Amino acid sequence: MAEAVVGVLIGKLGAALAKEAATYGASLLCKEASALKGLFGEIRKAEKEFESMKAYLRQAEKFKDTDETTGIFTKNIRELSFQIEDVVDEFMYKLEDDKHGGFAAKMKKRIKHVKVWHRLAHKLRDINVELEEAAKRRARYVLPGMQGHAGRGDHHARATNQNLCFAREDDVVGIEDNATKLKQWLVGDLKEKNYKIATVWGMGGVGKTTLVDHVYKIVKPDFDVAAWVTVSQSYQVEDLLKRIAREFGIITDAINMEIRSLVEIIRKHLEGKRYILVLDDVWEKDVWINIMEVFPTKCSRRFVMTSRKLEVASLATSNCTIEMEPLGYKHSFELFCRLTFSNSDDRRCPLELLDLAVKFLQKCEGLPIAIACIRRLLSFKQPTYSEWDSVYKELELQSSNNVMQGVDSILKVSLEDLPYELKNCFLHCAMFPEDYELKRRRSIRHWITSGFIKVKENKTLEQVAEGYLNDLVNRSLLQVVRKNASGCVKCCRMHDVIRHLALDKAAKECFGKVYEGHGTFSVDGTRRLSIKSTNIVPLNPSGATHLRAIYVFTSSAVDLLRTILASTTLLSTLDLQGTEIKSLPNEVFSLFNLRFLGLRKTGIETLPEAVGRLQNLEVLDAFGTGMLSLPKDVAKLKKLRYLYAAVCVVEGRLMRNYGVKVPRGIINNLTGLHALQIVKACSETLRDVAALTELRTFSVDELTSEHSSSLSSALLNMSNLVHLSITTLNENEVLTVEELRLPETLCKLHLKGQLEKKQMPRILSSWMNLKNLTLLSLSVSKLDENSFPSLMVLRNLCLLRLLNAYDGKTLCFSAQSFPRLRELYILGARELSQVEIEEDALGSLVKLQFLGCPEMKRLPRGIKDLSTLDELCFVDAAAELIKILRQEGEANECKEELMKISHIRRVRFSVTGENFWRRIVTR
Ligand SMILES: *[C@@H]1O[C@H](CO)[C@@H](O)[C@H](O)[C@H]1NC(C)=O
Ligand SMILES: *[C@@H]1O[C@H](CO)[C@@H](O)[C@H](O)[C@H]1NC(C)=O
Ligand SMILES: *[C@@H]1O[C@H](CO)[C@@H](O)[C@H](O)[C@H]1NC(C)=O
Ligand SMILES: *[C@@H]1O[C@H](CO)[C@@H](O)[C@H](O)[C@H]1NC(C)=O
Ligand SMILES: *[C@@H]1O[C@H](CO)[C@@H](O)[C@H](O)[C@H]1NC(C)=O
Ligand SMILES: *[C@@H]1O[C@H](CO)[C@@H](O)[C@H](O)[C@H]1NC(C)=O
Ligand SMILES: *[C@@H]1O[C@H](CO)[C@@H](O)[C@H](O)[C@H]1NC(C)=O
């Protein structure tokens, strides 16, 4: 992890050096000049040293667990890096401070600061000396030995650990379906002389090996020869081939053999035979690519690989890949009973142990490996309440990874394999509470403002960060909770067992800690703090000076914050999302270093002008608060990249976010903005917005027809716009968007407002240029049979939502229309009685919902041909249709209708009272 810390620091040092030229132009006072020169000199020295150290650290960290000297060295470096970071942040802080106040005040500060520069330069010099010393020591003691640590010793240690927790043959639970599938792939068409690769993918400990092992034993007799080889993380081709040869039963004196003859021997042995090879725990595609040529063709051959990485899983031929997920509750319980009560005949859990069993299982979260480890713990105890209870208490007391050693050692490898850029991002995810749903965009903003994301050519930071997120998912370190209609990850979760391990690491490396409110707790030295408790008594804020980030997850925390903030001048992230805080403590506005201020869904009602002092702010998120307008001094936040603000209003049972007022002449100064959501329309504001050419996301609310032309000209300038949301003042307001030319870069469009009826077909046809539009949401647009067909120019649409937007009686999807559409929502179409789906229309549709369509008496015509449809839902359809779905109508008719949707996995319908209906039609 030292490498990750150093990576972030080098970025900071670079930024500090950039100040050298910019500091006060040429007008330096004499003493000031010499003091600053010394300081910059030290910064440059540190930067050089770290640059040269980075590559070394990457290597060194891999062996940290096995090599004490290296471990001490990296720890040393991490601490020194932190010290330097503190110096540099303080320097930037004071430097900025100089710019405030009148001339006399500024001069006074500058003279005062000369002392500070000297002090910092001194400090840095001392640290640099230590740094050099550490590097020399490392060179003396460590380097020669390093090569020897790779490879087999490591591998063997891991393999034995794994075996401790292996499930036994008759303990397979919940994988029957996938076992059948795998078996079918492997031996279903063995007679044809073909070749197949099947892969099984999933997080560590989820039971991949168990599944393959189970199937392997069954299918083995169908082959002439079979071999099982565990590959694991570090491997060498030669070594791997030797093991393959051995497992295939080729008896050779392989030890001294040349690799060429080894290949020959394997080939000869397998020639003309039916064979199967299992490669267990493959960490990279290259394993296969390096050895694939060895195996003879012209016979039936099967390869099975298990991996934690999607990259490896994608090697499968003909989609023969299985994704393993943690077991559901029922199967977990079954497995637990089978393992734990294997000695009793019925393998049932005694009644008095039931609630403890449930508690144990909660800790395992469906991971078979964890269940097996708990079983191991319990196997030394009598099955009585008191004995089990003491085991449970012990588990509670120690962090879970201390006790569940088997799990620990298996998951740890996943972490060691992470490239360092990903390590920060990964550990960051663990700072959120258990089971927390991590939203993609929020995480990405945090990562960027924390400096975790490195610039890559031709990519925005957001794109790089999104790649990191996908990489964590592909490595099974994060689980996907939701994807959007085009299949991109929208929301993830970290498995609790992994999170525990990550937190352990985060605490050891001073990356961050979670404050749960009990036990003793010290923030000393840690860089990030996640607060989950309002209980402030044991939290001692001294030592908080090094904090860079605070995340709060309790409803109220003002007092707690005040105490901590008073001693943390260098904080760069403060995220209070979801707390009930009503106003920010003044201390917040002295946080010069602050880059991320998260106030989403808080009770904040105003922001003082002092917010303008947060010169480094990149993210200001006050979405869904009580704030009606932006403070003027937001204009001073030159580095702002994301600005979210919206007033949350509760309307009946719904919540709606309204745009905020933007004072004149402030928003045009924020030219670096990538996102601006939601502004209340006003001609001056829209004129100002025209200066924001970098915008990717823009939302405007309460628009009237008068604003049309200023909106149009603003949009013309937004050549990077991806996401646009327009809402009119009310339902009667007609958008005259004739001249509204939407940027071709647009991916998502939300349009709430009437379109001019006569112009509608023309407007919609002009959208033909929106080749990238994947999401379209229309409200109150008064579409009908005449205008709807024009929408079909949107060939790439993945999601279409019509909310009180369709006034016609019939809705026809003509042949081959919307080939990419995956989700279709039709809500509040009051007249709609018939839907027709022509041949090959909606060819990718997965989800179809009708909500509040009281005239819908029949299923859509042609629905039986929607072969990809997975979910169909009706809420408040006509009574006739509900009757059919309930099978209460005439038997034959029901049967006939239901046949049409028998291929759909999930069909749901529900009826709500009048209330519900009204809720949809009112704004
Ligand atoms: C694999 O699946 C994809 C998408 O589901 C499909 O397009 C492709 O034809 C399949 N390939 C094979 C060889 O079955
Ligand atoms: C079986 O495979 C399917 C599809 O790959 C997957 O969704 C499911 O989670 C698997 N079952 C288990 C127990 O892993
Ligand atoms: C980046 O874009 C430029 C111009 O579009 C192109 O010449 C260059 O090859 C791109 N670089 C990479 C790494 O894709
Ligand atoms: C993750 O896997 C998906 C699907 O194979 C692939 O498209 C994507 O590029 C991968 N992302 C990363 C960052 O490896
Ligand atoms: C899904 O997310 C991706 C990545 O951010 C985005 O490009 C795409 O437009 C989204 N699709 C939809 C239908 O929202
Ligand atoms: C906005 O920018 C203009 C021109 O760059 C500048 O004159 C003005 O002072 C700025 N306003 C604020 C509030 O910073
Ligand atoms: C559409 O999206 C693709 C892929 O993200 C991008 O390369 C292309 O530039 C986009 N087209 C426009 C007009 O923005």
Side-chain angles (χ1 to χ4, degrees):
M1 282 298 301
E3 194 206 355
V5 174
V6 165
V8 172
L9 181 59
I10 289 176
K12 273 196 178 173
L13 294 172
L17 287 172
K19 289 273 173 197
E20 184 172 16
T23 309
Y24 315 119
S27 67
L28 279 175
L29 311 173
C30 178
K31 278 187 184 156
E32 201 176 38
S34 80
L36 279 171
K37 200 169 152 216
L39 185 55
F40 281 121
E42 293 301 329
I43 294 178
R44 210 169 292 122
K45 212 147 111 198
E47 192 197 27
K48 255 202 203 128
E49 185 71 37
F50 280 126
E51 273 294 356
S52 66
M53 203 181 282
K54 222 168 61 173
Y56 170 81
L57 285 173
R58 181 172 318 175
Q59 280 305 310
E61 305 224 289
K62 291 209 174 120
F63 314 111
K64 202 170 61 185
D65 280 350
T66 52
D67 179 338
E68 206 178 333
T69 325
T70 314
I72 292 169
F73 172 67
T74 50
K75 183 158 173 271
N76 231 318
I77 295 305
R78 191 174 55 240
E79 279 162 6
L80 292 173
S81 307
F82 283 157
Q83 286 177 28
I84 291 180
E85 189 180 27
D86 284 351
V87 169
V88 172
D89 282 348
E90 188 183 344
F91 161 65
M92 298 289 259
Y93 176 81
K94 299 280 189 204
L95 198 61
E96 213 57 42
D97 192 36
D98 282 359
K99 292 185 185 159
H100 298 289
F103 180 76
K106 276 187 201 162
M107 272 326 205
K108 218 163 128 194
K109 271 190 200 159
R110 281 172 63 178
I111 290 165
K112 204 173 92 197
H113 281 165
V114 169
K115 247 191 193 156
V116 177
W117 305 151
H118 276 302
R119 176 170 58 80
L120 292 178
H122 255 294
K123 206 159 155 190
L124 208 48
R125 190 171 315 134
D126 289 348
I127 303 172
N128 277 338
V129 168
E130 266 189 69
L131 199 60
E132 264 170 51
E133 284 294 312
K136 273 190 210 145
R137 275 199 303 275
R138 172 253 299 182
R140 245 177 289 149
Y141 300 122
V142 186
L143 262 179
M146 260 184 62
Q147 298 306 329
H149 292 291
R152 300 188 46 180
D154 202 18
H155 158 72
H156 281 305
R158 205 155 43 235
T160 25
N161 272 334
Q162 280 199 9
N163 287 335
L164 286 174
C165 284
F166 259 163
R168 284 165 311 185
E169 182 50 30
D170 57 350
D171 295 329
V172 273
V173 170
I175 57 174
E176 295 82 357
D177 291 351
N178 284 335
T180 311
K181 210 152 82 178
L182 183 57
K183 200 175 93 192
Q184 178 63 25
W185 290 338
L186 293 179
V187 294
D189 54 356
L190 201 53
K191 293 216 171 61
E192 299 160 32
K193 293 190 169 173
N194 53 4
Y195 126 100
K196 269 188 200 167
I197 302 177
T199 58
V200 179
W201 171 55
M203 64 185 282
V206 78
K208 302 178 292 291
T209 306
T210 309
L211 169 69
V212 176
D213 185 48
H214 174 75
V215 174
Y216 178 68
K217 284 191 181 124
I218 297 172
V219 303
K220 216 165 134 182
D222 292 351
F223 293 87
D224 300 324
V225 279
W228 175 298
V229 174
T230 304
V231 181
S232 284
Q233 196 183 13
S234 42
Y235 76 101
Q236 285 176 324
V237 175
E238 197 172 333
D239 178 52
L240 186 61
L241 286 178
K242 280 176 189 166
R243 283 194 285 142
I244 289 173
R246 202 162 51 227
E247 295 302 320
F248 269 126
I250 306 168
I251 301 158
T252 57
D253 176 24
I255 313 273
N256 299 314
M257 195 172 285
E258 282 283 322
I259 192 154
R260 265 203 11 239
S261 14
L262 192 60
V263 169
E264 269 318 300
I265 287 181
I266 294 176
R267 241 184 228 152
K268 224 184 225 142
H269 184 79
L270 297 178
E271 205 84 60
K273 291 189 178 126
R274 283 182 189 170
Y275 60 88
I276 181 168
L277 170 64
V278 177
L279 296 171
D280 192 21
D281 205 14
V282 177
W283 281 79
E284 46 191 21
K285 249 180 168 163
D286 282 353
V287 172
W288 175 245
I289 292 171
N290 282 334
I291 64 170
M292 58 192 277
E293 301 293 338
V294 173
F295 303 101
T297 53
K298 291 194 197 142
C299 38
S300 285
R301 54 210 187 279
R302 300 285 183 266
F303 302 91
V304 186
M305 292 180 224
T306 73
S307 182
R308 304 176 194 197
K309 289 190 181 170
L310 181 56
E311 172 198 306
V312 177
S314 64
L315 287 169
T317 52
S318 332
N319 295 340
C320 290
T321 184
I322 288 173
E323 179 183 354
M324 298 282 288
E325 282 158 15
L327 297 174
Y329 176 74
K330 180 170 150 264
H331 284 138
S332 294
F333 191 73
E334 194 183 332
L335 178 61
F336 178 79
C337 292
R338 276 211 212 176
L339 293 173
T340 314
F341 307 108
S342 55
N343 294 331
S344 75
D345 291 337
D346 59 0
R347 295 183 164 197
R348 291 261 286 273
C349 180
L351 225 50
E352 70 272 18
L353 294 178
L354 212 54
D355 63 322
L356 272 174
V358 170
K359 276 157 104 184
F360 278 123
L361 282 177
Q362 272 164 358
K363 291 212 170 294
C364 301
E365 287 212 40
L367 273 196
I369 183 88
I371 296 173
C373 289
I374 297 263
R375 188 280 303 256
R376 201 179 62 211
L377 285 177
L378 292 174
S379 65
F380 302 115
K381 307 282 173 186
Q382 289 300 316
T384 63
Y385 189 91
S386 61
E387 294 243 333
W388 274 33
D389 196 40
S390 69
V391 174
Y392 184 76
K393 292 222 169 83
E394 202 179 325
L395 255 182
E396 283 275 84
L397 213 68
Q398 312 192 27
S399 74
S400 69
N401 44 327
N402 269 343
V403 181
M404 299 213 273
Q405 260 172 20
V407 185
D408 185 19
S409 64
I410 282 181
L411 295 179
K412 235 171 154 170
V413 199
S414 289
L415 307 196
E416 280 166 17
D417 184 59
L418 278 183
Y420 88 96
E421 305 97 89
L422 282 178
K423 276 185 182 161
N424 284 324
C425 298
F426 171 72
L427 293 184
H428 179 263
C429 293
M431 301 305 293
F432 291 80
E434 214 172 295
D435 286 340
Y436 200 84
E437 293 193 351
L438 303 160
K439 297 264 166 61
R440 179 192 68 214
R441 284 192 289 182
R442 185 181 180 193
S443 303
I444 284 178
R445 272 175 238 142
H446 271 302
W447 296 350
I448 291 176
T449 50
S450 303
F452 297 163
I453 308 298
K454 277 202 308 211
V455 186
K456 285 207 181 122
E457 202 182 347
N458 294 354
K459 280 197 169 169
T460 63
L461 288 173
E462 286 79 3
Q463 285 166 333
V464 178
E466 188 167 341
Y468 286 4
L469 183 77
N470 287 332
D471 202 345
L472 289 174
V473 168
N474 286 2
R475 289 165 182 270
S476 313
L477 289 171
L478 289 178
Q479 294 172 294
V480 176
V481 176
R482 265 194 306 285
K483 290 186 173 180
N484 74 9
S486 17
C488 294
V489 177
K490 207 173 166 181
C491 183
C492 324
R493 200 180 76 103
M494 188 177 261
H495 193 285
D496 200 39
V497 176
I498 291 194
R499 182 172 165 271
H500 267 289
L501 200 66
L503 279 180
D504 186 55
K505 193 130 191 141
K508 276 194 195 128
E509 315 260 347
C510 290
F511 179 92
K513 279 186 178 174
V514 179
Y515 174 61
E516 309 258 8
H518 44 73
T520 53
F521 189 83
S522 145
V523 282
D524 224 10
T526 196
R527 298 265 139 179
R528 291 166 194 85
L529 177 62
S530 175
I531 299 173
K532 276 190 61 195
S533 166
T534 38
N535 172 20
I536 56 168
V537 186
L539 187 64
N540 176 9
S542 78
T545 45
H546 303 287
L547 275 182
R548 289 302 189 279
I550 298 178
Y551 315 93
V552 181
F553 299 100
T554 64
S555 56
S556 63
V558 188
D559 296 335
L560 174 59
L561 265 184
R562 238 184 219 123
T563 30
I564 302 179
L565 290 181
S567 52
T568 55
T569 45
L570 300 178
L571 205 70
S572 82
T573 297
L574 179 62
D575 195 345
L576 302 172
Q577 177 164 340
T579 61
E580 282 163 11
I581 196 163
K582 282 216 155 46
S583 65
L584 288 174
N586 279 333
E587 287 85 350
V588 170
F589 304 104
S590 311
L591 298 172
F592 160 77
N593 201 21
L594 205 64
R595 282 152 215 277
F596 187 112
L597 182 54
L599 305 172
R600 186 172 283 244
K601 294 182 187 163
T602 59
I604 293 287
E605 284 167 0
T606 57
L607 272 181
E609 297 296 349
V611 76
R613 283 160 55 193
L614 303 175
Q615 285 290 303
N616 281 310
L617 209 59
E618 291 169 27
V619 178
L620 176 56
D621 185 354
F623 201 90
T625 60
M627 204 169 81
L628 295 171
S629 69
L630 287 179
K632 269 214 211 60
D633 280 5
V634 162
K636 293 185 181 157
L637 306 177
K638 295 273 157 49
K639 293 194 181 158
L640 213 55
R641 206 168 155 95
Y642 303 94
L643 177 53
Y644 303 99
V647 194
C648 180
V649 177
V650 180
E651 297 172 346
R653 277 188 292 167
L654 285 184
M655 294 210 274
R656 186 164 120 63
N657 289 305
Y658 285 95
V660 295
K661 263 195 234 137
V662 181
R664 281 181 69 171
I666 72 155
I667 208 91
N668 50 329
N669 276 33
L670 304 176
T671 47
L673 274 189
H674 275 225
L676 177 60
Q677 256 178 342
I678 309 170
V679 301
K680 186 170 173 166
C682 135
S683 295
E684 285 91 14
T685 305
L686 288 172
R687 228 167 285 144
D688 288 348
V689 164
L692 308 181
T693 53
E694 289 297 313
L695 277 187
R696 308 298 202 266
T697 298
F698 177 56
S699 298
V700 58
D701 191 10
E702 304 190 32
L703 204 76
T704 66
S705 46
E706 289 163 39
H707 302 131
S708 295
S709 67
S710 28
L711 177 63
S712 297
S713 34
L715 288 178
L716 276 182
N717 286 348
M718 298 182 190
S719 54
N720 292 304
L721 200 66
V722 173
H723 181 181
L724 174 65
S725 171
I726 298 173
T727 305
T728 53
L729 182 62
N730 58 46
E731 286 183 32
N732 302 324
E733 205 60 51
V734 178
L735 279 173
T736 49
V737 280
E738 253 174 288
E739 69 271 55
L740 191 71
R741 245 185 295 145
L742 298 174
E744 288 177 14
T745 44
L746 219 54
C747 292
K748 298 186 199 176
L749 175 62
H750 295 260
L751 198 57
K752 184 168 178 181
Q754 275 189 50
L755 295 168
E756 233 253 300
K757 195 127 193 148
K758 280 214 200 85
Q759 301 286 349
M760 194 130 62
R762 236 191 60 212
I763 296 169
L764 299 184
S765 314
S766 77
W767 291 359
M768 204 166 70
N769 294 333
L770 305 180
K771 294 267 189 305
N772 278 359
L773 198 69
T774 51
L775 182 150
L776 177 64
S777 172
L778 295 174
S779 304
V780 301
S781 338
K782 295 199 186 293
L783 287 165
D784 59 17
E785 287 90 345
N786 291 327
S787 43
F788 184 75
S790 311
L791 272 186
M792 295 181 200
V793 297
L794 298 170
R795 307 280 299 167
N796 288 324
L797 222 50
C798 294
L799 186 153
L800 175 62
R801 187 188 297 122
L802 302 175
L803 176 63
N804 302 334
Y806 194 76
D807 291 352
K809 287 192 168 57
T810 60
L811 176 56
C812 176
F813 295 90
S814 51
Q816 279 138 25
S817 58
F818 298 120
R820 296 254 172 97
L821 201 67
R822 291 172 59 85
E823 298 180 17
L824 174 60
Y825 303 92
I826 297 170
L827 300 91
R830 277 175 280 176
E831 309 285 328
L832 184 64
S833 60
Q834 195 175 2
V835 176
E836 293 192 25
I837 301 162
E838 294 184 351
E839 208 175 328
D840 294 332
L842 304 175
S844 308
L845 200 66
V846 175
K847 207 166 163 183
L848 175 59
Q849 289 195 1
F850 294 93
L851 209 137
C853 304
E855 298 299 321
M856 279 276 286
K857 300 190 176 95
R858 291 268 153 193
L859 291 167
R861 192 179 295 167
I863 194 166
K864 67 175 197 308
D865 297 324
L866 296 182
S867 59
T868 50
L869 196 59
D870 186 57
E871 191 182 328
L872 173 66
C873 173
F874 293 96
V875 178
D876 296 340
E880 287 90 332
L881 180 53
I882 297 294
K883 227 161 144 186
I884 289 173
L885 293 171
R886 282 204 170 116
Q887 308 194 39
E888 286 169 354
E890 205 254 311
N892 273 341
E893 193 193 4
C894 281
K895 206 170 145 202
E896 207 172 289
E897 286 293 293
L898 291 176
M899 273 304 286
K900 294 179 187 163
I901 51 172
S902 60
H903 63 293
I904 304 170
R905 195 168 59 95
R906 282 204 292 176
V907 179
R908 291 182 297 144
F909 61 93
S910 66
V911 184
T912 23
E914 282 291 301
N915 274 344
F916 188 75
W917 170 237
R918 280 205 200 96
R919 219 180 76 205
I920 296 167
V921 291
T922 52
R923 182 184 137 127

